[in-house]
Amino acid sequence: MINEKLSDKEKLAQLRHSAAHLLAHAVSELYPKTKLTIGPATEEGFFYDFLPEQNFKEEDLPLLEARMHEISKRNLPLIHKQVPKAEARKLYKDNQFKLELIDKIPDDTVGIATQGEFNDLCRGGHVETTGMIQHFKLLTISGAYWRADRSGQTLQRITGTACWTDKDLAAYLKRREELEMYDHRRLGKQLDLFSFHDEGVGFPFFHPKGKSVVNTMVDWMRKLRAENGYYEVSTPTMLNEKLWHQSGHWAFYKDNMYFSVIDETTYALKPMNCPGSFLIYKTRPHSYRELPLRFGEFGHVHRHELSGALHGLIRVRAFTQDDVHIYCTPDQIESQVVMIIEMIKKTYTKFGFESFQFAVSTKPEKAMGSDELWEKATNALKKTIENANVTYVIQEGEGAFYGPKIDVNIQDSMGRNWQCGTIQVDFFQPENFDLTYVAASGAKERPVVIHSAVFGSLERFFAIVLEHHKGALPFWLAPVQATVLTITDAQKEYGQKLVDKLKEQGIRVIMDESSDPISGKIKSAQMEKIPWMLVVGNKEAEANTITLRYLNGKQEFGLTLDGLIKKAQEA
Ligand SMILES: [Zn+2]
Ligand SMILES: [Zn+2]
């Protein structure tokens, strides 16, 4: 029964779970020897796990869908009732999975859903009739394990989705196709940017073009940091385990760290850059006149993630943080956070994001330090962000273990949110590492540390940017910015002259050396998503001009070399 008090989301989940029953019903009619297990609704649709007599194949999906439509047309009422366990055990005497489920239910009775001749063990929550399930699609077949236990029985999972209208279903399928088409893992392969290998699971390999993008990101950040008075530092990848005990990482994070023994001493691969930065700070005394002191690093960190959690460049086991540690007085927190917020806004805009939100995260369950320190730090961040004229939300309990933070979420062109930038105020590590500065009075005081990153992880940010632009990176960031396309071989000399002149200006340019017709050259430049095609025929060679063709097919005629260089510098 559809309960009117349910939210739209809950009603949709009921429809989708009912669609899972519909699928199981179709399977039991077409392949009666299949054993049914479970079929819940998911965020995006539903699945059902089966133990088939013979494995299902892709070609079976349309057949199953057709039978589902047929059962839908029968408009069978979905009846759910509680029955004694003994009765249920009899009903499922040949299905070890259902018997196991029945045993796990603490009550004396269990729920059975019935539609026509078909029944399924189930807790309930359905639409009223099979006729209400009309707009659905089966999507994938994959392997699964009974109770998600890798040592357990292997099953086959069929996934699908169901919506209330055909329009919703079409929109869902279009979005799904788009996400698949512009998945950065697919684009990375297509555009020859990066790869992954079994020899280093979760560790990305950057190819020349991918490395070019990463370097351009680093160049941007170096320039922005220099403008804001940062110094660049670098700290070792491996450091003595003792340091991680001192920093608290060992206590809170050791399960995600890699260790190695050298000369009978245990070292850890750094999961964060902070302790290294503190050691640099501590090498000499600091005066209040030096503060705020800003150390920026591109720190390569290792964090152990479960292999199942890895996802292209989004979730890796080693990545580069654009990590910053600012040492300042409590009075300087506000001005520093305002500066970082400006850097974040400038960067995200430059990379083509129009929408981003700020969130202030407060004390988590596992935390160091007193409530009083936490309150002081949290209030400082809230006050600052209020004055920074941006919208923000409060995320209760989402702070780091050493302090409250501001997280920045980007919204991409496909409507997804990604947390990238972060600003964390830290009152505890300065205490922990005994960091000091000499105040105007001559007394030793504690600085505050602000940890911050704009990209977060360079690798992950690259993936997000790539998907956001659907592979067509903006001119300034593209690994190959321009390609010279001659109409015939007769213009090759003129073309080469253009390449040389543009390279002198630091523009990443190539020439298509093939003898393909111009239409073929344009097509391959489009495939490679090169933003500028410089088309030159006899007319251009004679007049010393260039026709500029963009990826979207728009063209500008009669450009001079100087005009083109100026355009490139402004892009
Ligand atoms: Zn059910
Ligand atoms: Zn840090």
Side-chain angles (χ1 to χ4, degrees), residues 22-295:
L22 190 64
L23 166 62
H25 191 167
V27 165
S28 69
E29 288 190 359
L30 290 169
Y31 310 96
K33 286 192 174 148
T34 304
K35 291 206 170 128
L36 310 182
T37 73
I38 53 162
T42 60
E43 202 57 38
E44 304 247 305
F46 62 87
F47 68 80
Y48 208 111
D49 286 350
F50 301 101
L51 178 62
E53 198 186 21
Q54 264 186 343
N55 271 350
F56 293 119
K57 297 182 293 297
E58 290 289 330
E59 324 60 292
D60 298 330
L61 295 184
L63 214 72
L64 285 167
E65 253 174 36
R67 181 58 68 105
M68 285 166 76
H69 280 292
E70 207 185 302
I71 302 168
S72 166
K73 287 211 185 79
R74 290 180 214 159
N75 203 16
L76 304 165
L78 265 90
I79 300 154
H80 186 258
K81 58 180 186 211
Q82 291 296 121
V83 304
K85 273 187 170 175
E87 197 179 311
R89 282 200 188 95
K90 227 161 86 190
L91 198 57
Y92 296 111
K93 63 181 187 330
D94 298 325
N95 184 324
Q96 69 268 35
F97 307 107
K98 296 287 188 191
L99 289 174
E100 206 182 308
L101 290 173
I102 293 167
D103 287 342
K104 289 254 156 67
I105 297 167
D107 309 333
D108 298 331
T109 62
V110 297
I112 301 280
T114 308
Q115 54 194 52
E117 301 288 298
F118 174 78
N119 58 62
D120 206 349
L121 182 73
C122 166
R123 186 173 327 129
H126 305 115
V127 296
E128 287 161 59
T129 66
T130 59
M132 293 173 76
I133 318 161
Q134 293 181 13
H135 314 286
F136 54 82
K137 176 106 187 127
L138 297 181
L139 299 167
T140 60
I141 303 177
S142 60
Y145 293 95
W146 171 237
R147 296 195 158 276
D149 172 7
R150 289 183 163 271
S151 59
Q153 174 70 53
T154 52
L155 303 169
Q156 262 196 315
R157 173 169 300 180
I158 298 182
T159 68
T161 197
C163 299
W164 291 113
T165 65
D166 243 347
K167 201 174 146 223
D168 285 356
L169 181 64
Y172 170 81
L173 293 174
K174 186 169 176 273
R175 184 183 143 80
R176 190 171 180 274
E177 199 182 316
E178 211 175 47
L179 289 180
E180 214 166 284
M181 182 129 81
Y182 303 119
D183 185 312
H184 75 278
R185 293 168 296 183
R186 184 178 170 147
L187 290 170
K189 208 175 277 178
Q190 249 172 38
L191 302 173
D192 192 16
L193 300 171
F194 50 82
S195 58
F196 288 90
H197 302 270
D198 289 342
E199 289 80 356
V201 174
F203 303 130
F205 289 66
F206 285 100
H207 301 196
K209 285 179 189 167
K211 190 66 187 173
S212 163
V213 176
V214 174
N215 285 343
T216 306
M217 290 170 69
V218 169
D219 290 347
W220 162 265
M221 192 50 63
R222 279 208 170 109
K223 188 165 168 281
L224 193 61
R225 282 180 181 174
E227 286 166 9
N228 286 281
Y230 287 67
Y231 301 107
E232 187 164 328
V233 297
S234 75
T235 62
T237 299
M238 292 177 92
L239 291 162
N240 195 310
E241 187 196 310
K242 281 188 203 146
L243 182 69
W244 306 105
H245 282 276
Q246 189 185 352
S247 69
H249 286 98
W250 201 87
F252 287 90
Y253 209 71
K254 69 171 182 305
D255 295 343
N256 292 78
M257 289 166 67
Y258 293 97
F259 295 92
S260 186
V261 176
I262 302 163
D263 295 339
E264 289 161 38
T265 303
T266 308
Y267 283 73
L269 295 187
K270 64 175 175 183
M272 290 180 197
N273 305 296
C274 332
S277 177
F278 302 156
L279 293 185
I280 296 179
Y281 182 86
K282 276 171 76 84
T283 51
R284 63 175 178 83
H286 295 279
S287 151
Y288 70 96
R289 288 192 198 88
E290 287 179 75
L291 307 187
L293 183 60
R294 309 177 188 94
F295 286 162

Side-chain angles (χ1 to χ4, degrees), residues 6 40 89 125 143 168 281 296-297 304 333 407 440 511 565:
L6 294 179
R89 282 200 188 95
D168 285 356
Y281 182 86
E297 182 167 6
H304 185 72
I333 295 176
D407 288 324
M511 180 157 73
I565 289 168

Side-chain angles (χ1 to χ4, degrees), residues 348 408-410 418-422 453-457 460-461 464:
Y348 295 173
V408 198
N409 289 292
I410 286 176
W418 304 96
Q419 195 234 300
C420 295
T422 181
V454 176
F455 295 130
S457 146
R460 183 169 169 275
F461 196 84
I464 295 166

